Amino acid sequence: MGSLTTLSVPECLYELIPKSVARALDVGAAPEVVAQKAASDLPEELVLEHMTSLELWVRVSPWFFAA
């Protein structure tokens, strides 16, 4: 499983991600590097990453069917 933190307002939907993960995604880091930064328990500033409702459902729907 996992977790996904979002902020939804009538105008848009955002995912809240750690700043180090956002930087890694911006520079095109390898998926392993991004996953390692996401797994870190160190507290850090969060950034808002725009996402669509379709992207959100694609990411969370597998959790509904996990055994």
Side-chain angles (χ1 to χ4, degrees), residues 1-41:
M1 286 290 210
S3 66
L4 179 71
T5 305
T6 60
L7 169 66
S8 178
V9 293
E11 295 82 19
C12 53
L13 176 65
Y14 295 100
E15 178 182 7
L16 285 86
I17 58 174
K19 192 175 229 175
S20 64
V21 173
R23 282 192 200 127
L25 291 169
D26 285 343
V27 297
E32 301 83 29
V33 174
V34 175
Q36 181 183 25
K37 293 186 179 297
S40 173
D41 289 335

Side-chain angles (χ1 to χ4, degrees), residues 45-61:
E45 184 178 337
L46 297 175
V47 295
L48 298 173
E49 184 72 31
H50 181 265
M51 71 184 325
T52 66
S53 58
L54 178 60
E55 290 172 316
L56 174 62
W57 280 110
V58 166
R59 295 209 17 219
V60 300
S61 62

